[in-house]
Structure formats: C-alpha cells, structure tokens
Amino acid sequence: MKFTEEQLQNEELRLLEKLEAAGWSAADVKVIAPLTLEINQLKKEQDAIILAHSYQTPDIVYGVADFIGDSYGLSIAAKSTKASKIIFCSVHFMAETAKLLNPEKEVLVPSVAGCSLAESITPEDIKELRKQHPNAGVVCYVNTTAATKAECDSSCTSSNVMKVIEGMPQDEIIFVPDEFMAKNVQPLTDKKIIGWQGRCIVHEEFSPETVDEVREMYPGVKILAHTECSPAVIEKVDMAGGTKDMIEYIDNSKDEQFMLVTECGMVDRMKVEKPEKKMVGSCAMCPFMKKIMLKDVLQSLKEPREDQKVNIPADIANKARANLEKMIELTEK
Ligand code: 13P
Ligand code: SF4
C-alpha cells in the first residue's frame, strides 16, 4: 500500500504522542508508521477488530488495537463484538477463548504463542484429579487450553477468581494450574483448595527481597502485584490482583509512586495513560506475549496462514464453551 508524505507524517505524530512516554523516539515511530497505517486501513476494509492484552508492546496497543484489556475484559469484548473478524494480539489460550465465545467469527492470532501455565496441565491430568477428589468442583484459571477447559466446570481469571470459587456449589475446589494463585486464594475462602504445580515463568521471578528493596528506595511507594506471584511476594505488597485491578487501584489512589510487580507491558501502559503517576522498580517480560509483532498482524490480515487461524474441534469446543459461560454467569451474577 502506498501512502502520501502527509499521511505518513500525521501517523508519525499520532504515534509519537502516545509512544514517547513509553520511551519511543521520532526515529522509532517513523519505522512503524507505514505498518500501522496499512493495518488500520485493512482493518476497515475487512470489518476486523484488533483486541490486545495489556502485556502487548505499545506499538500494538496504541498503534492498531481497538480494545486493550485483561483476560476477562478481552473475553467479553470478543463475545460482544459486531465486527466480522477478530485479530487477537495475545497468547493462544486467550484467542481460543475469543473463538469459543464467538464461534461464528473468524479469529486470527498473528503469532502462535503459548503460556507456561497453559502448558503445565493436560485434560488427562484433570480426569485423574477428579478420580482422586470425586466430591470437588473443578475451576481452571483461564490460562489453560480449550481441551483442558473442556474437562473443568468453570474458568476464572485473576479478577473474578473469588466470585467463581465462592459461586461453585462444592466445598472442595480443585484449582488448576497455578500453584501460587491457589495458595494465594486459600486464606480468602473457607473452601478447601486443591492445587496443581503450574507456574507463570514471568511472575515466579519476583522475590520478596525485591519488594523490600523498592520500599526502602522509594518511601511511600505503593506496590501492586499480580496474583500469579508467590505468596511470599503477595504478603508484602499493598494490593494483589489482576491487571485490571491494578489500573483501578491507581485510578482510585492519591499516591504518586507505584511499583507494578508484573509484566512490563502494564508499566508501559501506565506511563502512557497516567503520566502524572510515577512507575518505579523493575518489571519482567513475557516471552510469549512479546512474540506478536506489527509485521505479523499485517501478514495475518493480508494472507492468513493456517497456523494463524484459531479452530477448535466441535466436541472440545462445546464443553469448553459451557465452562466459559459458567464463568461469565458466576461473575456477572
Ligand atoms: P490478567 O487477566 O490479569 O490480564 O492476566 C493474564 C495473564 O496472563 C497474567 O500473566
Ligand atoms: Fe502465561 Fe505468565 Fe506470560 Fe501471562 S505472563 S501469558 S501467565 S507466561
């Protein structure tokens, strides 16, 4: 696609206005302006919508995304969109969720990216756990494959985990696959939580010592951690929750300095969207989330490859959809 000098300059200005706060230069945005222009043009022509998780890079979040959110928000956006095609910029299990909730739509993932949690458990593991705990309900974190979801009663995300657990009729809950999240929710419920040994390779890297160091370095700092962090980290922070909870906390807080114990995409988002607040300390990169690049988004719109098309066999899809509908029912109650 050919663009005029004026179109390119306007796009560079539009991008720089957002991306500068996240450390991008005029030279950086010059490189991506032709890509974002073409993607946005193709999106219109094809009646496509781009959904992006907050952990995506700022060029995707502010360059081409129509909706940015956490895993629950993205599920609801995917379920309710009127667009005929969904380009899902995130890890594969989230794109599967979009396809399950909106099966008539074409759902594409620009790069096929896994997740250490989703890969830590199989449908056979769930069947075995059910045999060992026949009276327990089974809740899976949404970070699981459609095939695993198909064997569980309900999904949950970090933002609705307590609503889902408390909404289940059983007093014993098998909670998979996040070992740390299971340990973090146990003190918040009277139900017995039976966990699994999956971990997020990004959030398990944070240590309680880092939290202590940042508190000492930045007196008065508020430290917000993702519930996928270890209990040793969670007990030292001011708020534990999902990415949406972090944004709400910052929105409602008069404090000025925050450390986000999570993926760097969230820190970039806050730098761009809340310039009056200061983000301190370090964050961590998710190698899976960061696999998606603008060139892949463009390619998926132009000529999608088979591996970019999200398709789920009907027998798995029907059961996994019931699991997701259950999560939505328990959340929206
Ligand atoms: P959120 O639902 O909080 O966005 O978390 C998704 C995720 O993958 C965290 O690592
Ligand atoms: Fe999976 Fe962790 Fe990456 Fe989230 S941050 S997608 S849980 S590996």
Side-chain angles (χ1 to χ4, degrees):
M1 238 177 232
K2 276 256 172 271
F3 297 101
T4 63
E5 208 41 53
E6 191 188 352
Q7 282 175 312
L8 287 164
Q9 271 173 13
N10 287 341
E11 183 67 350
E12 284 165 30
L13 286 174
R14 181 185 79 86
L15 290 167
L16 196 59
E17 202 181 311
K18 291 283 186 190
L19 300 192
E20 203 168 19
W24 288 58
S25 68
D28 295 332
V29 298
K30 207 176 177 59
V31 176
I32 63 166
L35 291 172
T36 54
L37 272 176
E38 189 166 1
I39 290 168
N40 288 326
Q41 178 67 33
L42 288 173
K43 229 168 55 177
K44 268 193 228 141
E45 288 171 16
Q46 299 182 13
D47 186 31
I49 186 173
I50 297 188
L51 306 182
H53 188 267
S54 295
Y55 291 167
Q56 293 295 297
T57 48
D59 52 341
I60 289 179
V61 169
Y62 302 108
V64 298
D66 299 289
F67 179 88
I68 315 148
D70 69 332
S71 43
Y72 188 72
L74 288 165
S75 311
I76 300 301
K79 189 175 158 71
S80 55
T81 183
K82 292 203 166 43
S84 18
K85 188 188 272 192
I86 299 172
I87 311 289
F88 210 103
C89 294
S90 187
V91 284
H92 201 260
F93 73 80
M94 289 195 201
E96 279 188 335
T97 301
K99 180 71 183 173
L100 289 166
L101 291 173
N102 214 333
E104 305 308 322
K105 299 270 155 83
E106 185 179 7
V107 179
L108 297 167
V109 273
S111 296
V112 180
C115 161
S116 63
L117 280 171
E119 283 152 25
S120 70
I121 193 153
T122 65
E124 285 64 42
D125 294 326
I126 305 288
K127 287 179 194 158
E128 193 48 45
L129 281 165
R130 278 199 191 273
K131 270 192 220 153
Q132 288 167 20
H133 307 278
N135 298 322
V138 185
V139 175
C140 58
Y141 191 32
V142 76
N143 297 37
T144 40
T145 62
T148 298
K149 284 187 180 76
E151 299 303 326
C152 303
D153 301 322
S154 174
S155 283
C156 75
T157 70
S158 48
S159 66
N160 61 20
V161 53
M162 292 318 298
K163 272 190 179 171
V164 172
I165 287 178
E166 298 302 353
M168 295 287 289
Q170 300 87 351
D171 292 330
E172 251 187 357
I173 303 291
I174 296 168
F175 181 87
V176 295
D178 191 333
E179 174 191 343
F180 288 158
M181 199 179 276
K183 288 185 175 147
N184 290 331
V185 300
Q186 182 61 91
L188 309 176
T189 178
D190 291 335
K191 299 193 179 198
K192 182 180 173 199
I193 305 291
I194 300 151
W196 185 251
Q197 61 272 19
R199 287 196 187 175
C200 162
I201 55 160
V202 178
H203 290 94
E204 75 171 345
E205 287 304 314
F206 292 101
S207 72
E209 290 75 28
T210 312
V211 175
D212 290 339
E213 279 162 23
V214 170
R215 273 209 201 285
E216 215 178 295
M217 236 185 291
Y218 301 97
V221 64
K222 287 285 179 283
I223 305 185
L224 321 180
H226 201 284
T227 340
E228 291 168 11
C229 293
S230 72
V233 167
I234 296 298
E235 73 179 25
K236 284 184 173 279
V237 299
D238 299 292
M239 198 277 309
T243 53
K244 180 171 162 267
D245 302 312
M246 291 181 186
I247 298 175
E248 280 174 9
Y249 186 99
I250 295 172
D251 275 342
N252 295 324
S253 166
K254 289 197 171 55
D255 293 288
E256 282 166 12
Q257 282 191 330
F258 299 88
M259 178 189 181
L260 302 186
V261 187
T262 191
E263 214 275 344
C264 297
M266 268 298 290
V267 178
D268 283 337
R269 256 198 89 179
M270 295 303 96
K271 282 182 179 169
V272 173
E273 294 171 30
K274 310 206 184 294
E276 70 287 3
K277 308 282 184 183
K278 192 168 171 226
M279 301 298 133
V280 301
S282 57
C283 53
M285 295 260 199
C286 171
F288 307 108
M289 287 279 182
K290 298 306 200 224
K291 259 178 101 172
I292 294 179
M293 296 189 204
L294 282 176
K295 69 173 176 50
D296 307 311
V297 178
L298 181 57
Q299 191 270 329
S300 68
L301 277 161
K302 275 182 163 170
E303 210 176 331
R305 297 187 307 264
E306 278 313 302
D307 65 285
Q308 291 172 319
K309 298 177 188 167
V310 180
N311 285 313
I312 302 158
D315 52 334
I316 291 177
N318 291 336
K319 291 202 276 174
R321 188 174 306 113
N323 163 319
L324 289 168
E325 299 285 4
K326 183 79 187 161
M327 166 179 79
I328 295 171
E329 177 204 315
L330 293 174
T331 308
E332 306 295 330
K333 226 179 190 174

